[in-house]
Amino acid sequence: LEDASGTEADEVVVAGGATRSPLWLQLHADVTGKKFVLNENTDGPLLGCAILASVGAGVYGSVEEAAENMVRRSEVIEPRPEVAKAYDRLYDEVYKKVRPGVRDTVHAMAALRGGASDHGDSRVRPRG
């Protein structure tokens, strides 16, 4: 997203099921080098609806004011630079070399389970 938008984010706000796994959050923070932020309410769509409803009901004068008052951080997962260096080495020294050799296999597996592929139609067709 940073490449597509031409901007750089300092942190990633996480919502939903991913917030239940400290290991998963730490891994992402380490790999990306970004802070991962959890809010008290991890149900993003529900909180967004509440924010919009509070503005519609006149409790707050703007979405910005409502978000300022209703969104509260509960935790920030910091990236660990020493671990990030290990992931960078794995990526540079292993993954970049392995990826071209497994690309077709990964796409074939995605097609079998009905996922996306850049080899045309990826849907599995029933036999017969």
Side-chain angles (χ1 to χ4, degrees):
L1 290 175
E2 289 179 340
D3 289 343
S5 68
T7 61
E8 190 171 322
D10 297 327
E11 60 188 30
V12 177
V13 179
V14 187
T19 62
R20 293 185 195 93
S21 173
L23 175 64
W24 188 246
L25 293 167
Q26 187 64 63
L27 182 135
H28 279 277
D30 292 340
V31 168
T32 62
K34 308 281 183 198
K35 296 176 186 177
F36 272 60
V37 177
L38 282 76
N39 291 319
E40 284 180 8
N41 183 331
T42 60
D43 190 336
L46 182 63
L47 182 57
C49 288
I51 288 169
L52 294 175
S54 72
V55 175
V59 175
Y60 294 108
S62 69
V63 170
E64 292 79 11
E65 181 187 4
E68 223 173 80
N69 287 282
M70 296 174 70
V71 177
R72 291 184 278 294
R73 292 176 174 218
S74 62
E75 186 178 356
V76 176
I77 291 89
E78 298 280 346
R80 299 171 295 180
E82 70 284 358
V83 176
K85 285 179 188 172
Y87 281 121
D88 287 343
R89 278 191 64 211
L90 274 171
Y91 180 77
D92 290 337
E93 297 174 22
V94 177
Y95 180 76
K96 281 183 177 179
K97 294 173 184 166
V98 171
R99 185 177 181 268
V102 298
R103 185 175 187 275
D104 290 342
T105 302
V106 169
H107 284 276
M109 289 168 49
L112 286 172
R113 68 171 195 267
S117 169
D118 37 316
H119 296 294
D121 187 358
S122 64
R123 284 183 233 126
V124 176
R125 300 190 197 307
R127 294 182 186 184

